[in-house]
Amino acid sequence: MENLKTQVAIIGSGPAGLLLGQLLYKAGISHIIIEQRSADYVAARIRAGILEQVSVDLLHKAGVDENLKQFGIPHEGIEILTNGLKHRVDLSSLTQGKQVTVYGQTEVTKDLMHAREAADLCTYYEAQNVQIHDFEKQQPYVTFQKDGQSFRLACDFIAGCDGYHGVCRASVPQDKIKTFEKVYPFGWLGVLADVPPVSDELIYVQSERGFALCSMRSKTRSRYYLQVPVTDHVEEWSDERFWNELKSRLDEESCNNLVTGASIEKSIAPLRSFVTEPMRFGKLFLAGDAAHIVPPTGAKGLNLAASDIAYLSSALIEFYQRNSTQGIDEYSEKCLKRVWKAERFSWWMTHLLHRFETETEFDHKIKQAELNYILDSNAGLTTLAENYVGLPY
């Protein structure tokens, strides 16, 4: 067995793990990333693409925003379609100039991977049998295999950035962790296509036939979603069926502007809300999807991971540079305060814009009235806009 040593062991090389690694590198803190999947697999994962202003600022702080500045698409508003009419939510004017930026999570991941490669930082991809040990003691360590060789990595701290199905959360004793979960009875059928977006801004659709979202990755690549039963399979949805169903949920102007084409990726994502409490267990910190999941309606998944990493990187830097444990001791509380606010917003947006099978006509009318109130009220619009652009750290 080969013995390794570092200050922070990071499990998982998604955006959370990579961003933490980049921020620690810039602060001169040694770390090693251990990832179960291959680098090609990590770089190819299709995920969300809306960045809050605070996430953009954090990527700038990490020094990985060159492509973001060049190719990201700033959005100062969104549109909500209900009862066949579109209503624009002016995010910028409602939040003193804040905005969101359309930039795919895939691109964020690639930018972080390229920065890591350029700095010649250590990452073990395709690691097998990853296990974490003694994280509630003074000297935690990680064991894994790579290319038939066994490794033991001694460290001061372990950052669990390995996602919902990862080993880190699963390693916590059940009597020391509490989870909260809500599973929704539908999924999002997503299609990625090399066609221009139907609109310059995102369109969120509340319709009698169910929710839809018109989004984008660039000015020539679009991402569209349909609410579908969770029992549906991708194979049941041809491109033609998808485009026809999308048109049935849009207004006439959007239908006329819609450019259709062959899908280059198609998948159905289940929706759930999930939170772990606490997010720190001795020398182990959970971050990103390892600690919480949000339905994508509020565009908070990647952004919550970024805020976790903002708190965690600051806490670790404070520990190593000032010998203070205050940030470490406050990590879980600070994260969860923001997590639950984002969970509430995502739950609210999901409930407001989707049709539920158990929903009566009365329920639907009430939701329409609530949405109409929000759209006709400056206070309501401000609440929506403040949450959408991202609450402060």
Side-chain angles (χ1 to χ4, degrees):
M1 178 178 287
E2 182 174 345
N3 291 312
L4 307 170
K5 188 173 183 180
T6 193
Q7 290 174 306
V8 181
I10 302 173
I11 314 300
S13 71
L18 290 168
L19 181 57
L20 177 59
Q22 179 68 12
L23 290 166
L24 294 181
Y25 160 68
K26 290 181 72 67
I29 298 171
S30 70
H31 67 281
I32 292 175
I33 294 181
I34 303 169
E35 167 61 45
Q36 177 186 6
R37 303 285 191 171
S38 69
D40 289 343
Y41 179 92
V42 171
R45 283 185 291 205
I46 303 294
R47 292 292 188 268
I50 303 295
L51 297 179
E52 298 174 348
Q53 184 63 57
V54 283
S55 297
V56 171
D57 295 342
L58 188 61
L59 290 169
H60 173 72
K61 179 180 178 182
V64 290
D65 64 336
E66 183 177 345
N67 288 332
L68 171 59
K69 289 187 290 188
Q70 184 176 354
F71 301 110
I73 307 173
H75 278 197
E76 296 184 350
I78 59 173
E79 293 186 295
I80 296 180
L81 172 61
T82 180
N83 293 322
L85 297 175
K86 282 188 292 189
H87 305 259
R88 185 173 187 269
V89 181
D90 191 333
L91 301 173
S92 184
S93 68
L94 291 162
T95 60
Q96 291 75 52
K98 293 181 182 178
Q99 60 187 16
V100 296
T101 300
V102 174
Y103 191 68
Q105 179 171 324
T106 305
E107 303 308 313
V108 173
T109 301
K110 289 178 180 177
D111 292 343
L112 287 164
M113 290 177 75
H114 291 155
R116 189 166 188 81
E117 183 178 358
D120 197 26
L121 300 175
C122 182
T123 306
Y124 287 89
Y125 288 104
E126 298 181 89
Q128 299 176 328
N129 193 27
V130 179
Q131 300 291 329
I132 62 174
H133 308 269
D134 291 354
F135 52 85
E136 293 187 288
K137 299 179 181 179
Q138 282 299 110
Q139 295 297 322
Y141 65 98
V142 182
T143 57
F144 63 99
Q145 281 85 46
K146 165 75 174 173
D147 297 331
Q149 185 175 0
S150 296
F151 294 85
R152 185 186 192 276
L153 173 62
C155 55
D156 299 328
F157 300 100
I158 299 172
C161 305
D162 52 344
Y164 180 78
H165 298 288
V167 68
C168 289
R169 190 182 72 249
S171 299
V172 177
Q174 289 299 304
D175 62 343
K176 295 189 176 181
I177 192 170
K178 188 172 184 179
T179 59
F180 305 83
E181 185 172 29
K182 178 178 178 62
V183 178
Y184 298 88
F186 42 73
W188 275 19
L189 170 62
V191 161
L192 190 68
D194 281 328
V195 294
V198 68
S199 174
D200 291 336
E201 297 180 333
L202 274 65
I203 305 176
Y204 287 81
V205 183
Q206 182 204 62
S207 81
E208 297 292 333
R209 297 181 64 87
F211 170 80
L213 173 61
C214 301
S215 185
M216 65 200 70
R217 290 295 176 268
S218 69
K219 294 182 179 180
T220 58
R221 177 169 288 186
S222 298
R223 183 74 163 164
Y224 293 101
Y225 298 94
L226 292 175
Q227 175 190 349
V228 299
V230 74
T231 53
D232 276 15
H233 298 90
V234 172
E235 296 75 21
E236 300 169 354
W237 285 88
S238 65
D239 288 354
E240 181 181 13
R241 182 187 177 193
F242 178 88
W243 294 120
N244 287 338
E245 181 60 32
L246 178 60
K247 289 177 182 177
S248 74
R249 303 185 189 188
L250 295 177
D251 60 299
E252 183 177 355
E253 179 188 24
S254 299
C255 285
N256 292 334
N257 292 336
L258 182 67
V259 178
T260 63
S263 62
I264 57 177
E265 192 272 341
K266 188 185 298 177
S267 58
I268 296 178
L271 271 67
R272 64 157 47 91
S273 300
F274 176 85
V275 180
T276 294
E277 290 189 356
M279 288 173 56
R280 177 203 169 197
F281 306 88
K283 298 297 188 75
L284 169 66
F285 306 90
L286 300 181
D289 287 359
H292 41 72
I293 301 286
V294 289
T297 324
K300 296 301 171 200
L302 173 58
N303 293 294
L304 270 186
S307 67
D308 291 348
I309 297 308
Y311 290 127
L312 182 53
S313 60
S314 294
L316 292 171
I317 292 169
E318 180 182 53
F319 174 79
Y320 284 110
Q321 294 184 352
R322 296 166 47 193
N323 197 29
S324 170
T325 64
Q326 181 176 349
I328 289 173
D329 295 336
E330 295 176 349
Y331 170 74
S332 181
E333 181 183 357
K334 284 184 175 181
C335 285
L336 285 169
K337 186 175 181 180
R338 195 173 193 273
V339 164
W340 276 113
K341 288 179 181 179
E343 290 279 354
R344 182 212 66 82
F345 179 67
S346 299
W347 166 87
W348 176 76
M349 286 278 283
T350 302
H351 183 266
L352 193 62
L353 297 175
H354 291 73
R355 292 290 316 247
F356 287 73
E357 291 181 359
T358 57
E359 189 175 296
T360 66
E361 286 304 309
F362 177 84
D363 296 331
H364 184 59
K365 288 290 187 181
I366 289 294
K367 288 204 296 190
Q368 285 184 312
E370 181 178 4
L371 185 55
N372 287 333
Y373 164 74
I374 294 294
L375 296 172
D376 290 336
S377 162
N378 190 66
L381 286 171
T382 300
T383 296
L384 192 160
E386 285 179 345
N387 282 271
Y388 195 87
V389 301
L391 299 175
Y393 292 166

